[in-house]
Amino acid sequence: MMIIEWDQQQQQDSQPQNQREENGNGVIYVNAMTDEQLETLLKQIAVYASICEQLVEMHKNLTAHQNLTGGRLGNLYCDPLMTAGGHKISARQRWTPTALQLQILERIFHEGTGTPSKQKIKEISSELSQNGQISETNVYNWFQNRRARSKRKQVVAVSSNNNAAESEVETKVESPKTKPENLLVSQAEQDVCFQNREISSQLNHLGGSYHFYEQHAWQGE
Amino acid sequence: MMIIEWDQQQQQDSQPQNQREENGNGVIYVNAMTDEQLETLLKQIAVYASICEQLVEMHKNLTAHQNLTGGRLGNLYCDPLMTAGGHKISARQRWTPTALQLQILERIFHEGTGTPSKQKIKEISSELSQNGQISETNVYNWFQNRRARSKRKQVVAVSSNNNAAESEVETKVESPKTKPENLLVSQAEQDVCFQNREISSQLNHLGGSYHFYEQHAWQGE
DNA sequence: GAGCTATGAATGAAGG
DNA sequence: CCTTCATTCATAGCTC
């Protein structure tokens, strides 16, 4: 049974998987993996490949059946019960991003330079308006919130070892940057960190915690 | 099986995973991989992870249009089987304050200023952590909700009974004429939140048990 | 075991 | 930016 804290990016457990063994001539890197572990890794890759294929398949099927229901279906004005009784039920008054809009926003958020400039906001909202009602204010707010909350999460992740007086020296020394950039998958981890809990959990597990596999082989049955 | 844990729950971490280098017979199998090779493997996994994420995003987007919700989609959590928490052996998906914690929280809420500052949150949560699992986010949310709900009850009480007397009224009073009509809507929306389980379970398979995914026919419709 | 209620959590928006 | 509020979603637990 293992436990993964998916968005805590501490490096406390980053036990190197590779054992470095030095000989006289230099350094030889030996990865002490058992066959079982290696097999697990390879299987994971294969599984991902299969899943990707199947997801693509699903996507194709769905898009084939979709008739551009984009519009404002999921959004403001089409609540199912709206006209059920003959009189209107006041639906939500606050903007809710369409899945499509969200997708685009997330993409921009990740690729972009954290600066949602005025001009950019205009562009984005005009682009998003093709997928549903949206205003520039919505976009602005979305970015504000997105940034703030993602930041807060990271802060929370970093904390939890904060003790009172005496630790200030060490923290002062070490605090500026304690991000685990040594993991080569950390980029992917960042990308998915705050999108969807269920997805990122899985992906982070796969990407960021590969060194866990061994002991807790996923004997699903 | 494995447990995915996210930030709200801080559990005592399991012991660090070390390489297992022995099999049943006590023989050690070591694959002499270079770092480069290993890195390649891991990169492949990371890449697949990203691709899968994108695909899942698309899928969710499409299914969202199908079931007309327009609300949040797929807010499913992962499926931890059990917890190392305390007394609960069931799936732990959201924090529940223990009686002791609740008591303390209530006390602080009543005595304290209505503003639970950042620093205070830290203190409180650290204090409460002695009585069970808790995180700062939990405390933060708790105060948010507590305040909001106490406030709302006051409002409702006032609106139904024009008694200008007191402030600490927190009784449950139902307003006859200001009943929120959109209750109907939200109730209806509950009926359409099932399709996402599909994708979520798929993801669990993705991360947790690759043996299983073959058994499931994904393309339902 | 199906509905209901209480409540933890997520998030759009507003204020400063 | 950061904090706070209001609203909503999803679920844990109770009731019947």
Side-chain angles (χ1 to χ4, degrees):
Chain A
M1 194 80 53
M2 78 176 172
I3 293 177
I4 297 169
E5 292 186 310
W6 63 272
D7 77 347
Q8 301 206 358
Q9 305 178 356
Q10 80 288 39
Q11 64 279 43
Q12 65 189 26
D13 54 4
S14 63
Q15 282 264 7
Q17 166 130 341
N18 321 338
Q19 286 181 337
R20 285 156 168 77
E21 294 183 355
E22 309 191 5
N23 61 8
N25 298 329
V27 182
I28 301 176
Y29 293 93
V30 173
N31 297 291
M33 296 177 67
T34 66
D35 274 345
E36 197 181 358
Q37 295 170 252
L38 178 61
E39 196 175 342
T40 305
L41 270 179
L42 293 172
K43 272 183 184 170
Q44 283 309 306
I45 295 177
V47 167
Y48 260 124
S50 295
I51 289 174
C52 282
E53 285 178 21
Q54 298 196 37
L55 284 168
V56 167
E57 208 54 39
M58 289 169 64
H59 180 255
K60 278 182 187 169
N61 287 338
L62 286 170
T63 43
H65 295 161
Q66 291 277 315
N67 269 339
L68 274 181
T69 58
R72 34 187 72 168
L73 243 197
N75 208 350
L76 286 179
Y77 302 119
C78 280
D79 255 314
L81 283 191
M82 186 152 175
T83 58
H87 62 294
K88 117 170 124 175
I89 298 170
S90 70
R92 60 183 99 257
Q93 73 259 9
R94 93 178 188 186
W95 168 70
T96 315
T98 309
L100 221 80
Q101 290 175 333
L102 231 180
Q103 195 179 341
I104 298 174
L105 284 169
E106 288 286 352
R107 180 169 52 72
I108 296 173
F109 177 79
H110 283 120
E111 79 192 14
T113 68
T115 32
S117 78
K118 203 81 179 177
Q119 186 53 35
K120 199 130 189 188
I121 294 271
K122 254 193 222 292
E123 296 174 17
I124 294 170
S125 60
S126 107
E127 177 186 355
L128 290 187
S129 68
Q130 314 204 343
N131 300 321
Q133 278 264 327
I134 198 171
S135 78
E136 297 175 20
T137 315
N138 297 137
V139 177
Y140 177 77
N141 284 331
W142 190 88
F143 275 99
Q144 288 289 314
N145 284 312
R146 189 69 170 74
R147 174 170 314 283
R149 278 159 185 154
S150 108
K151 189 167 186 178
R152 190 161 77 96
K153 286 257 184 186
Q154 291 199 359
V155 167
V156 168
V158 166
S159 72
S160 83
N161 52 353
N162 191 353
N163 235 340
E166 318 223 326
S167 63
E168 59 180 325
V169 178
E170 349 178 17
T171 46
K172 267 229 166 98
V173 173
E174 301 256 13
S175 65
K177 177 123 185 206
T178 50
K179 246 171 175 286
E181 299 281 31
N182 44 2
L183 283 183
L184 58 96
V185 286
S186 64
Q187 186 51 52
E189 203 173 336
Q190 289 280 357
D191 285 343
V192 299
C193 198
F194 303 111
Q195 285 206 21
N196 312 94
R197 283 191 304 279
E198 68 273 8
I199 298 170
S200 53
S201 300
Q202 304 296 346
L203 295 184
N204 275 300
H205 165 68
L206 209 264
S209 309
Y210 53 88
H211 48 285
F212 282 161
Y213 289 171
E214 40 200 338
Q215 266 182 315
H216 303 273
W218 303 328
Q219 62 271 17
E221 61 276 352
Chain B
M1 222 25 175
M2 65 175 171
I3 289 183
I4 306 289
E5 182 101 28
W6 48 95
D7 70 319
Q8 279 87 5
Q9 312 284 348
Q10 299 177 344
Q11 80 294 331
Q12 52 279 26
D13 224 320
S14 55
Q15 64 277 10
Q17 316 291 327
N18 295 323
Q19 295 96 340
R20 173 193 289 261
E21 297 181 354
E22 49 192 344
N23 66 2
N25 300 326
V27 182
I28 300 179
Y29 293 106
V30 172
N31 295 291
M33 293 175 65
T34 64
D35 267 350
E36 199 178 3
Q37 290 172 319
L38 180 60
E39 195 173 340
T40 303
L41 275 178
L42 295 172
K43 268 181 182 166
Q44 284 185 51
I45 293 178
V47 166
Y48 273 132
S50 293
I51 294 174
C52 281
E53 188 235 353
Q54 293 297 322
L55 289 168
V56 166
E57 212 46 49
M58 290 197 288
H59 172 80
K60 285 177 67 178
N61 157 38
L62 290 168
T63 50
H65 284 166
Q66 282 188 336
N67 57 24
L68 296 177
T69 60
R72 282 154 218 220
L73 15 127
N75 252 356
L76 275 193
Y77 295 178
C78 302
D79 70 61
L81 274 188
M82 62 162 292
T83 172
H87 28 287
K88 274 300 190 198
I89 311 268
S90 68
R92 167 255 307 113
Q93 302 194 350
R94 83 182 195 187
W95 168 71
T96 351
T98 66
L100 232 79
Q101 289 176 335
L102 231 177
Q103 201 175 335
I104 299 175
L105 283 169
E106 286 287 350
R107 179 171 54 73
I108 295 173
F109 177 79
H110 281 304
E111 82 189 11
T113 73
T115 51
S117 76
K118 209 101 179 188
Q119 185 55 36
K120 198 121 186 187
I121 295 268
K122 254 195 214 301
E123 296 174 17
I124 294 172
S125 61
S126 107
E127 177 185 353
L128 291 186
S129 67
Q130 314 203 343
N131 299 322
Q133 287 197 351
I134 199 170
S135 79
E136 295 175 23
T137 310
N138 298 138
V139 177
Y140 176 79
N141 285 330
W142 190 88
F143 275 99
Q144 288 285 120
N145 284 312
R146 190 70 175 79
R147 212 175 320 136
R149 275 156 186 156
S150 123
K151 189 169 185 177
R152 180 189 302 204
K153 294 215 169 148
Q154 285 193 19
V155 168
V156 171
V158 167
S159 80
S160 82
N161 187 6
N162 196 358
N163 199 352
E166 260 353 279
S167 46
E168 279 298 325
V169 180
E170 287 188 11
T171 53
K172 204 188 288 185
V173 180
E174 196 178 23
S175 167
K177 57 180 182 178
T178 57
K179 202 171 187 68
E181 293 178 344
N182 50 8
L183 274 185
L184 298 172
V185 174
S186 59
Q187 183 133 12
E189 283 179 354
Q190 284 185 350
D191 291 338
V192 281
C193 291
F194 298 118
Q195 290 197 347
N196 295 307
R197 289 176 188 280
E198 188 187 353
I199 190 71
S200 180
S201 64
Q202 290 160 22
L203 285 169
N204 282 329
H205 300 155
L206 181 159
S209 25
Y210 53 84
H211 322 287
F212 285 172
Y213 77 93
E214 293 175 321
Q215 299 173 1
H216 288 255
W218 283 4
Q219 57 278 38
E221 53 269 303

